[in-house]
Amino acid sequence: WSSGSADVLGDIEAMLDVVRDDGLVDCTRVIMGKTAFKNALNNTKFSDLFKKDQFNLGMLNPVSGGLGEKYQGFVNIGSYRVEIYTYNATYVDMSGTKQNFINDNYVIFLPDDSALDFRKCFGAIPSIMPVDPRFAQYLPGRVTVSGAIDFKPRIFGDEKSETLFTEIKSRPILIPRSIDRFARLNTVAG
């Protein structure tokens, strides 16, 4: 999209069409990386249709807000109306390098939250240390909450401090079930 001849509107509409055809939902939110948003605004066709802010009096339409997320405005493209957000939050990777959650050149397409299905499942974590046999009789091997959570209980003591510790452990895994209901566009050719 850095080229003046880039078809920003055509690229966005094409991706919206793909999600509508394959996922049977309409994307209503577009999250742009910093460079993608800047390049989109520099595109005359896009900037002519982009509405920075349009609040209707008497209409309450809360938008989610969080660290790094910013509502920028909206654009009508063909039969679609999408809200445009930017997201600039970062994290530190395993090597200690700061990384963006969303690549500066990416555009993420999302439908309303009600059309997404991301399941969070929990699984028990095996312990490398066995349960102290003196306390094993007090604990089941695992604790399960039907359909949602699986915990691994553990109990151990510290004789020096005369302290007894109990813990249950579980780790989540996120499973996207809405496979064709969101999309990502890389705005850099290659």
Side-chain angles (χ1 to χ4, degrees):
W1 288 0
S2 60
S3 161
S5 62
D7 188 5
V8 174
L9 294 173
D11 289 346
I12 293 173
E13 186 172 20
M15 190 60 79
L16 292 168
D17 286 341
V18 167
V19 174
R20 176 185 277 171
D21 293 345
D22 295 349
L24 304 176
V25 295
D26 285 337
C27 288
T28 56
R29 293 174 291 165
V30 170
I31 303 170
M32 294 186 175
K34 181 173 38 176
T35 305
F37 183 63
K38 183 183 82 163
N39 289 337
L41 288 179
N42 286 334
N43 182 282
T44 307
K45 290 180 182 177
F46 178 88
S47 62
D48 286 349
L49 293 179
F50 179 71
K51 307 295 183 221
K52 177 68 177 154
D53 205 356
Q54 180 117 6
F55 291 105
N56 296 321
L57 291 176
M59 182 176 167
L60 179 62
N61 186 15
V63 292
S64 61
L67 181 65
E69 178 185 63
K70 183 174 182 193
Y71 174 74
Q72 297 290 349
F74 71 93
V75 66
N76 292 310
I77 302 172
S79 62
Y80 303 100
R81 181 184 191 272
V82 291
E83 295 177 342
I84 307 290
Y85 293 82
T86 53
Y87 190 79
N88 64 1
T90 59
Y91 66 96
V92 177
D93 68 15
M94 297 293 285
S95 68
T97 306
K98 189 187 283 189
Q99 302 284 343
N100 292 332
F101 277 107
I102 296 180
N103 181 297
D104 287 343
N105 295 303
Y106 286 176
V107 179
I108 310 296
F109 297 80
L110 297 169
D112 289 331
D113 289 342
S114 62
L116 288 173
D117 184 2
F118 290 100
R119 305 276 170 98
K120 189 186 303 184
C121 300
F122 292 83
I125 305 166
S127 250
I128 58 170
M129 301 290 292
V131 172
D132 187 320
R134 296 173 295 174
F135 309 117
Q137 65 182 346
Y138 303 113
L139 290 177
R142 70 190 317 158
V143 177
T144 302
V145 175
S146 180
I149 302 172
D150 193 12
F151 291 106
K152 176 72 174 171
R154 189 166 87 105
I155 188 168
F156 57 96
D158 178 9
E159 290 184 32
K160 247 183 179 178
S161 65
E162 294 186 4
T163 306
L164 184 63
F165 298 94
T166 59
E167 66 182 9
I168 57 173
K169 299 190 298 184
S170 183
R171 292 281 195 268
I173 183 168
L174 301 175
I175 304 168
R177 302 280 308 250
S178 304
I179 302 298
D180 294 327
R181 293 185 169 202
F182 57 94
R184 184 199 77 193
L185 173 68
N186 186 348
T187 62
V188 176

